[in-house]
């Protein structure tokens, strides 16, 4: 077999590293075998040398300075070394058994055999690297593990998994990280829940289940999904929920569309029903007569109302108290025109499916339950009856008439349920308050666990104090935020809800969701922090940016998920945004992080000398933007350009002109590689539109390439490549007026719809407002959007049921309608639709931070004309300002001018 030049060099470096390692090995071994048995001595010396060998082989032999250290790689290295240790020790001992004194011969032979084994495994598995043409070395067919896995699988009657994996890899470009470990972990958890759901739900449909189950398992409902051969059953039709909480807190209780309250992360829930003595019961998850709204009167409160004939139920859920000691409170008001029972039930599930309850115990000193021996639920008054049930006896709903006197229930299956029953007299209402302390209860005396003692009067007084604390916390957190005044109540509500959502999900780091996306990604963080900046919440952004360095590897890689090549660009870009809109010099403690991050980007690029469309681009990678299989995505490259430009800007702010010049040159070089690649794509596709990667046809994944316009403004607003891409997406990828993403999401995506709208707004295309209107219609009654929306049910079908990135995009969209930046100037009012002007009401926004300073804008009807006014608190001199109100000619205003009257022409 012919060995290429690079491999020969690696062999030489491997021998040099091996010499150093083996010298270490021999020295330790030579000393130890005088005191210990040969096998033990050899094992210790080999392990010590192996630790040193890892760093030599990774950074010296295979030159992987830009590839971050990972648990997967260390684990692979340890596995190979464990196998090598066995080979080495067995070879050594075998020779010594034959010839007891041949210590040197045994050492040399064991070293040679082990060296051959480890080189092959390290090169083609552990430290596999890119060739010059950009493809990765694959594992040799004779790699021993393949035979073991194949033999076990075939023996058990399975297909050959190695062959299947190899075939699957052919659908994607070979990549350094096939699938991020974080994504695999996420998928395993999700489908483990789905497997539990499949075992628990479909043959227990006489239970009262959450709303999504009642719809998705009902063959008469449009949300119905046949289960057939699906091993896992997951919420794919109504992934909607709304988080409650106090700014700075980490506990975010959820409320589903029918008022089901899940107080803790991924926990059990509380549901409420009204059961009349005769007639149909009011079960919100089964009722079509349910309304829900979000109230933001100095706190977040979700109100859910349902009715059926003479039965009415109202639930008001909120979190009160401080971030350190929050309390989830649900006020329940039940009314019945006939004698009925108001039932408050503990449910072993949440909006994702089954969540185990293994034990429920009545509290001794106050009305309520202890759940799973750690969580507490308090009532402000004792119920008339408690009822318990377990999986064997069925849902507690079917046992409400039982007169058994139980004080606890245990369930090995984890499907315990309980009900607190309150009698409702005809024509009278009953109000009950449930309180669930969200802080840890261990170590707290029983009479203090509710946070307010146990006496009803004391508790109510304490609740008022808790409410005041929560209100003051919200007021403080929203202080200085940009205010919006528009004549569209729904758009206004969505803006206010979006700002509250972002504040709630940024206790320190920012999270793109309260439930399954309650973790950190640089991608989501960049957009969310940008939106927080755009409405003036600058301190909150700075606090989050200071956390970035803790997630940066020694090589400079901003790591939130392995295999993502856009994260460095996003981290640097938002750092620049922060410094520009605050007018601050970047903190000194950022400088090393910035330089390392910028260097990582240009070192990560492929060679420009490749004879392929991906020459000079970033490597093939996994796209958590859900653009498809591993590929050379332009999304990553555009963020790389923006990151290098940001590094240049930030270095110049430090007065490090050499670094600034270097990063600027590298950004231009990467941009040139992108342009050269796009030229080849233009020839192949016979149109200027940009697909997701150089090797893709045009599809919905092209949405990622629009990053060159929004938010990065790398290309001009009227660049033919941008306009043609947007035109393709508008003509081929809209469903119900929103962008439908075929890949993974398989639904209407609110935040990507707004990306497309931003591109059209920037280009002066009036179709942007139709996209905004479609997104507004897709919002839940509480003003939230899931990551992706089912085109038939209107419910969430992918990701978190409350996506903070979508909320951020709504805020950014509204802000850019009033003010945006372009080529060193401010553009005012370019997104104000005529339908707002026709209402003859004052329209206002601000103060809105820009890179020139903060600006306050108002638009007022003035008889037959429109008066546009603005006030700027500029950092230095006033920037050029253009007024581009749709339907009017663009006007460049004179310096020091603070208003402009636009004349409405007859017939317009």
């Amino acid at each position: 077999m012919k060995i290429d030049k690079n491999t020969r060099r690696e062999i030489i470096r491997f021998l040099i590293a091996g010499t150093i390692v083996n010298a270490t090995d021999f020295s330790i071994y030579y000393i130890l075998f005088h005191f210990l048995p040969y096998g033990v001595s050899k094992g210790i010396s080999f392990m010590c040398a192996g630790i040193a060998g890892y760093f030599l082989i990774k950074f010296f032999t295979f030159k992987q300075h830009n590839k971050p250290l990972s648990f997967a790689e260390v684990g692979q290295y340890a596995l190979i070394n464990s196998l090598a240790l066995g080979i080495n020790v067995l070879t050594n001992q075998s020779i010594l058994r034959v010839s007891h004194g041949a210590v040197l011969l045994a050492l040399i032979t064991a070293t040679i055999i082990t060296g051959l084994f480890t080189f092959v495994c390290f090169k083609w598995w552990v430290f596999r690297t890119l060739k010059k043409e950009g493809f990765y070395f694959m594992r040799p067919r004779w790699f021993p593990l393949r035979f073991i896995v194949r033999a076990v699988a075939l023996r058990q009657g399975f297909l050959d998994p190695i062959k299947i994996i190899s075939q699957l890899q052919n659908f994607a470009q070979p990549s350094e990280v096939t699938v991020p470990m974080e994504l695999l972990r996420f998928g395993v958890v999700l489908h483990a829940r789905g497997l539990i759901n499949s075992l628990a739900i479909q043959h227990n449909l006489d239970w009262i289940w959450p709303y999504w189950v009642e719809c998705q398992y009902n063959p008469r409902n449009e949300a119905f999904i046949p289960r057939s051969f699906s091993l896992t059953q997951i919420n794919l039709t109504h992934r909607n929920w709304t988080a409650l909480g106090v700014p700075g807190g980490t506990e975010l209780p959820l409320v589903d569309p029918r008022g089901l309250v899940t107080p803790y992360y991924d926990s059990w829930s509380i549901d409420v029903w009204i059961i009349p003595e005769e007639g149909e019961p009011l079960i919100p998850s089964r009722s079509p007569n349910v309304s829900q709204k979000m109230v933001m009167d100095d706190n977040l409160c979700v109100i859910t109302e349902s009715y059926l004939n003479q039965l009415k139920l109202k639930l008001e859920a909120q979190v009160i108290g401080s971030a350190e000691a929050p309390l989830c409170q649900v006020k329940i008001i039940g009314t019945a025109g006939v004698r009925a029972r108001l039932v408050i039930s503990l449910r072993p599930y949440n909006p994702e499916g089954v969540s185990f309850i293994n034990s429920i115990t009545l509290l001794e000193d106050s009305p309520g339950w202890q759940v799973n021996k750690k969580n507490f639920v308090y009532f402000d008054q004792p119920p008339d009856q408690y009822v318990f049930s377990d999986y064997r006896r069925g849902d507690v709903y079917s046992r409400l008439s039982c007169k058994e006197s139980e004080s606890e229930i245990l369930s090995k299956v984890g499907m315990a349920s309980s009900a607190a029953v309150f009698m409702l007299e005809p024509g009278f209402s009953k109000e009950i308050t449930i309180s669930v302390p969200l802080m840890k209860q261990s170590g707290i005396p029983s009479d203090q666990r509710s946070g307010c003692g146990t006496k009803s009067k004391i508790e109510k007084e304490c609740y008022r104090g808790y409410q005041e604390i929560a209100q003051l916390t919200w007021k403080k957190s929203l202080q200085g935020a940009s205010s919006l005044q528009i004549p569209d109540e729904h758009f206004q509500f969505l803006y206010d809800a979006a700002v509250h959502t972002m504040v709630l999900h940024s206790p320190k780091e920012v999270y793109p969701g309260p439930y399954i996306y309650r973790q950190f990604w640089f991608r989501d963080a960049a957009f969310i922090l940008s939106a927080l900046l755009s409405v003036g919440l600058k301190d909150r952004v700075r606090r989050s940016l200071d956390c970035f360095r803790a997630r940066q590897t020694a090589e400079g890689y901003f790591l939130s998920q392995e295999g993502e090549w856009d994260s460095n660009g996003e981290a640097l870009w938002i750092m620049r945004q922060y410094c520009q809109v605050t007018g601050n010099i970047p903190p000194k403690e950022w400088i090393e992080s910035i330089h390392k991050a910028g260097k990582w980007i240009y070192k990560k690029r492929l060679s420009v000398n490749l004879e392929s469309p991906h020459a000079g681009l970033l490597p093939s990678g996994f796209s958590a933007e859900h653009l498809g299989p591993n590929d050379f995505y332009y999304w990553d490259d555009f963020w790389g350009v923006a990151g290098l430009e940001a590094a240049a800007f930030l270095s110049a702010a430090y007065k490090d002109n050499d670094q600034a010049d270097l990063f600027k040159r590298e950004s231009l070089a990467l941009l040139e590689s992108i342009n050269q690649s796009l030229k080849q794509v233009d020839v192949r596709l016979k149109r200027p539109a940009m697909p997701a990667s150089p090797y893709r046809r045009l599809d919905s994944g092209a949405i990622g390439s629009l990053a060159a316009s929004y938010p990065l403004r790398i290309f001009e607003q009227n660049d033919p490549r941008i306009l043609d891409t947007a035109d393709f997406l508008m003509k081929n990828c809209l469903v119900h007026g929103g962008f439908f993403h075929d890949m993974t999401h398989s639904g209407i995506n609110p935040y990507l719809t707004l990306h497309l709208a931003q591109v059209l707004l920037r280009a002066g295309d009036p179709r942007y407002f139709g996209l905004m209107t479609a997104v507004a219609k897709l919002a839940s009654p509480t003003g939230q959007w899931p990551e992706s929306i089912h085109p038939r049910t209107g419910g969430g079908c992918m990701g978190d049921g409350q996506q903070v990135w979508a909320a951020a995009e709504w805020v950014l969209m509204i802000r850019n309608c009033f003010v945006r930046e372009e080529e060193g100037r401010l553009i005012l009012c370019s997104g104000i639709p005529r339908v707002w002007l026709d209402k003859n009401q004052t329209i206002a926004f601000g103060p809105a931070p820009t890179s020139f300073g903060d600006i306050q804008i108002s638009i007022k009807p003035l008889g037959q004309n429109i008066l546009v006014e603005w006030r700027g608190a500029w950092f230095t001199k006033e920037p050029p300002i253009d007024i581009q109100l749709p339907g009017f000619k663009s006007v460049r205003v004179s310096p020091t001018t603070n208003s402009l009257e636009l004349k409405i022409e007859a017939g317009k």
Side-chain angles (χ1 to χ4, degrees):
M1 180 181 70
K2 186 176 180 180
I3 300 177
D4 61 64
K5 187 176 181 180
N6 185 61
T7 301
R8 288 198 297 270
R9 289 176 177 173
E10 287 177 339
I11 292 173
I12 293 172
R13 291 197 296 268
F14 182 78
L15 291 174
I16 295 172
T19 300
I20 297 172
V21 171
N22 285 311
T24 303
D25 182 13
F26 180 77
S27 299
I28 296 174
Y29 175 64
Y30 185 80
I31 295 171
L32 292 180
F33 78 69
H34 290 87
F35 308 99
L36 300 172
Y38 289 122
V40 175
S41 301
K42 187 60 192 170
I44 294 174
S45 67
F46 187 82
M47 293 298 291
C48 292
I51 295 172
Y54 173 79
F55 295 98
L56 281 170
I57 293 167
K58 179 177 177 64
F59 298 112
F60 174 67
T61 302
F62 296 112
K63 301 291 184 182
Q64 293 200 342
H65 300 288
N66 292 326
K67 183 179 178 183
L69 301 175
S70 70
F71 290 116
E73 184 180 85
V74 172
Q76 291 167 352
Y77 178 83
L79 174 62
I80 296 305
N81 268 315
S82 297
L83 294 173
L85 173 60
I87 293 171
N88 194 292
V89 173
L90 288 173
T91 303
N92 188 73
Q93 288 183 329
S94 297
I95 295 175
L96 289 174
R97 286 196 193 100
V98 176
S99 180
H100 184 74
V103 176
L104 185 59
L105 175 63
L107 175 63
I108 293 173
T109 305
T111 299
I112 292 174
I113 294 174
T114 304
L116 290 172
F117 174 78
T118 53
F119 179 81
V120 170
C121 294
F122 288 156
K123 179 173 177 59
W124 280 285
W125 189 42
V126 181
F127 302 109
R128 61 190 186 279
T129 56
L130 273 172
K131 285 185 177 181
K132 289 295 182 182
E133 66 271 19
F135 291 93
Y136 290 84
F137 287 108
M138 305 305 291
R139 298 165 220 180
R141 291 187 174 275
W142 53 267
F143 185 70
L145 190 59
R146 294 173 61 94
F147 288 107
I148 299 171
V149 173
R150 178 184 289 114
V152 172
L154 294 177
R155 185 179 182 86
Q156 298 299 321
F158 291 98
L159 297 175
D160 180 0
I162 303 299
K163 183 177 181 180
I164 293 174
I165 292 172
S166 298
Q167 289 297 116
L168 290 176
Q169 289 177 339
N170 292 334
F171 286 98
Q173 298 284 1
S175 179
E176 183 176 320
V177 178
T178 304
V179 180
M181 183 61 65
E182 295 83 357
L183 185 65
L184 288 175
R185 188 184 305 115
F186 174 81
V188 168
V189 171
L190 189 69
H191 285 284
R193 168 73 58 73
L195 183 59
I196 295 169
N197 290 344
S198 68
L199 295 173
I201 296 174
Q202 57 189 340
H203 56 286
N204 288 298
L205 293 177
D206 59 334
W207 281 53
I208 303 298
W209 291 104
Y211 177 58
W212 74 270
V213 174
E214 298 290 349
C215 294
Q216 195 167 302
Y217 284 68
N218 182 355
R220 299 172 185 82
N221 193 296
E222 63 180 3
F224 175 72
I225 297 177
R227 296 176 290 280
S228 57
F229 294 112
S230 299
L231 293 177
T232 64
Q233 294 162 23
I234 297 169
N235 183 354
L236 298 175
T237 56
H238 291 90
R239 302 184 65 82
N240 301 85
W241 43 79
T242 304
L244 303 170
V246 179
T250 57
E251 293 294 341
L252 304 175
L254 304 179
V255 183
D256 90 335
R258 290 300 188 265
L260 182 78
V261 177
T262 304
Y264 300 98
Y265 176 78
D266 197 28
S267 76
W268 43 268
S269 302
I270 298 171
D271 203 3
V272 185
W273 320 312
I274 297 181
I275 314 296
E277 288 189 351
E278 295 183 0
E280 188 177 352
L282 175 54
I283 310 294
S285 64
R286 293 179 175 176
S287 174
N289 305 314
V290 180
S291 64
Q292 194 172 66
K293 63 181 179 180
M294 169 87 83
V295 176
M296 293 170 282
D297 294 336
D298 298 326
N299 197 354
L300 295 181
C301 180
V302 173
I303 300 176
T304 309
E305 296 181 272
S306 55
Y307 69 90
L308 178 65
N309 300 323
Q310 300 181 67
L311 310 178
K312 294 183 181 179
L313 181 63
K314 182 178 182 180
L315 309 177
E316 298 180 4
Q318 62 182 338
V319 173
I320 59 177
S322 65
E324 294 75 24
L327 194 72
C328 179
Q329 185 184 78
V330 184
K331 184 166 74 172
I332 302 164
I333 303 174
T335 305
V338 297
R339 186 172 174 80
R341 290 171 291 179
L342 178 64
V343 180
I344 302 171
S345 180
L346 279 176
R347 314 304 294 158
Y349 51 66
N350 57 42
E352 281 283 45
V354 173
S355 182
F356 298 128
I357 297 181
N358 295 104
S359 69
I360 305 172
T361 306
L362 292 184
L363 300 180
E364 296 179 357
D365 49 8
S366 62
W369 295 297
Q370 182 178 21
V371 187
N372 289 333
K373 299 182 179 180
K374 61 180 180 179
N375 304 131
F376 295 83
V377 179
Y378 296 92
F379 304 117
D380 67 341
Q381 55 188 284
D384 296 295
Q385 180 187 7
Y386 286 107
V387 185
F388 295 87
S389 190
D390 56 19
Y391 183 72
R392 181 180 60 80
R393 291 185 286 180
D395 192 0
V396 72
Y397 172 71
S398 64
R399 292 175 44 78
L400 293 177
S401 300
C402 294
K403 302 301 181 180
E404 299 175 4
S405 179
E406 296 179 276
S407 61
E408 66 175 345
I409 189 75
L410 301 176
S411 173
K412 291 184 178 179
V413 179
M415 295 291 287
S417 57
S418 183
V421 181
F422 299 82
M423 299 307 299
L424 288 178
E425 297 300 328
F428 291 90
S429 296
K430 183 176 285 289
E431 180 178 318
I432 301 161
T433 300
I434 304 174
S435 301
V436 183
L438 300 178
M439 57 185 175
K440 293 182 179 180
Q441 299 294 303
S442 58
I444 300 176
S446 60
D447 64 339
Q448 299 177 16
R449 285 174 183 157
S450 68
C452 306
T454 58
K455 293 183 179 180
S456 178
K457 182 179 179 180
I458 297 176
E459 287 182 350
K460 289 180 179 179
E461 291 176 351
C462 193
Y463 292 157
R464 285 194 289 270
Y466 270 39
Q467 182 67 272
E468 291 176 0
I469 293 172
Q471 291 173 349
L472 289 173
T473 304
W474 271 108
K475 284 182 179 180
K476 182 179 179 181
S477 298
L478 294 169
Q479 190 173 4
S482 304
S483 63
L484 174 68
Q485 181 182 350
I486 54 177
D488 188 317
E489 291 183 3
H490 188 49
F491 276 40
Q492 176 80 55
F493 166 71
L494 293 177
Y495 172 82
D496 293 335
V499 172
H500 280 77
T501 293
M502 293 191 302
V503 169
L504 183 63
H505 292 81
S506 54
K508 192 171 184 182
E509 289 191 318
V510 293
Y511 305 117
Y515 190 6
I516 67 170
Y517 283 175
R518 193 171 168 184
Q519 53 186 309
F520 179 86
W521 286 287
F522 282 104
R523 180 183 303 106
D524 303 69
F527 285 93
I528 297 168
L529 293 176
S530 178
L532 286 168
L533 274 177
S534 75
V535 296
L537 298 176
K538 303 169 187 176
D539 292 341
R540 185 168 290 272
V541 174
R542 168 62 191 273
R543 187 173 60 190
S544 181
L545 292 177
D546 283 336
C547 299
F548 278 18
R549 300 190 308 280
R551 293 184 176 273
Q552 190 176 33
T553 68
E555 294 79 19
Y557 178 36
F558 280 112
L559 174 63
S560 53
Q561 184 166 283
E562 289 192 51
E564 295 179 340
W565 311 140
D566 55 341
S567 58
N568 273 44
E570 288 148 355
L572 290 168
W573 176 79
I574 191 57
M575 288 179 182
R576 175 182 181 173
Q577 295 293 108
Y578 169 79
C579 293
Q580 283 184 305
V581 302
T582 60
N584 295 336
I585 296 174
K588 291 182 179 179
E589 56 267 27
W590 290 6
I591 185 168
E592 182 181 0
S593 175
I594 291 167
H595 289 167
K596 287 164 59 178
K599 183 178 180 181
W600 183 92
I601 295 175
Y602 69 74
K603 288 287 187 181
K604 195 69 179 178
R605 291 177 59 202
L606 304 176
S607 171
V608 297
N609 298 321
L610 305 180
E611 295 182 1
S612 59
H614 60 263
L617 303 183
L618 290 169
S620 168
F622 172 82
S623 176
E625 251 319 280
H626 310 295
L627 303 180
N630 287 357
D631 213 330
F632 302 92
Y633 287 112
Y634 289 128
W635 165 275
D636 296 337
D637 301 308
F638 287 129
W639 279 105
V641 171
L644 289 167
E645 289 180 347
F649 172 88
L650 295 167
S651 295
Y654 288 124
K655 301 188 183 304
D656 190 343
N657 295 327
D658 290 341
Q659 279 290 345
D661 291 342
L662 171 63
F663 289 134
K664 186 61 179 177
R665 289 195 304 272
E666 291 293 343
S667 72
L668 293 173
L670 178 53
L671 182 57
E672 177 60 23
S673 293
I674 296 172
N675 286 326
Q676 292 300 320
S677 178
L678 289 173
K679 287 180 181 178
Q680 298 181 58
V681 171
D682 190 333
V683 172
R684 177 172 63 86
L685 298 180
K686 298 181 174 58
R687 62 186 297 179
M690 301 178 292
S693 85
Y695 302 104
R696 287 270 284 278
R697 297 181 296 278
L698 286 174
D699 52 40
S700 65
I703 190 76
S705 299
L706 290 181
S709 176
Y710 171 82
L712 303 179
R713 305 201 305 271
I714 294 171
F715 290 171
E716 297 291 331
Q717 61 265 42
N718 292 315
D719 189 299
R721 296 169 292 187
I722 293 293
L723 298 183
D724 195 34
T725 305
D727 191 57
F728 168 82
L729 296 172
M730 289 292 292
K731 290 179 179 178
N732 296 276
C733 300
L734 295 191
V735 173
H736 302 323
F739 173 75
F740 186 93
H741 196 13
D742 295 301
M743 291 149 212
T744 307
H745 290 196
S746 58
I748 305 169
N749 189 292
Y751 72 90
L752 291 180
T753 302
L754 292 174
H755 280 207
L756 184 55
Q758 291 274 20
V759 171
L760 297 179
L761 173 64
R762 186 169 179 248
D765 189 326
R767 292 179 292 177
Y768 78 90
F769 191 68
L771 296 175
M772 286 183 68
T773 303
V775 171
K777 291 179 179 178
L778 292 169
S780 74
T782 59
Q784 310 301 327
W785 294 273
E787 182 171 20
S788 194
I789 295 171
H790 196 295
R792 291 201 312 271
T793 69
C797 62
M798 158 74 185
D800 209 300
Q802 181 180 7
Q803 205 207 20
V804 185
W805 187 351
E809 290 297 347
W810 184 257
V811 168
L812 288 165
M813 190 78 223
I814 293 292
R815 185 260 193 187
N816 285 353
C817 284
F818 281 87
V819 55
R820 58 188 179 86
E821 300 180 38
E822 198 73 56
E823 298 175 346
R825 71 188 195 279
L826 289 182
I827 298 177
L828 306 187
C829 309
S830 66
I832 305 301
R834 188 58 182 263
V835 67
W836 292 357
L837 298 176
D838 291 343
K839 297 290 182 67
N840 289 319
Q841 297 179 27
T842 297
I843 300 169
F845 184 75
T850 74
S851 60
F852 307 103
D854 293 355
I855 186 170
Q856 181 83 38
I857 305 162
S858 67
I859 305 162
K860 302 176 181 178
L862 196 66
Q864 295 299 312
N865 297 331
I866 300 294
L867 178 64
V868 180
E869 296 180 304
W870 62 93
R871 297 191 310 274
W874 312 119
F875 295 138
T876 53
K877 65 177 182 178
E878 179 183 347
I881 296 176
D882 291 347
I883 307 297
Q884 294 185 1
L885 191 65
F888 297 85
K889 292 182 179 179
S890 177
V891 179
R892 170 66 60 86
V893 301
S894 302
T896 71
T897 302
N898 291 318
S899 65
L900 179 69
E901 187 173 337
L902 299 173
K903 184 177 181 179
I904 299 177
E905 299 179 13
K908 289 192 176 181

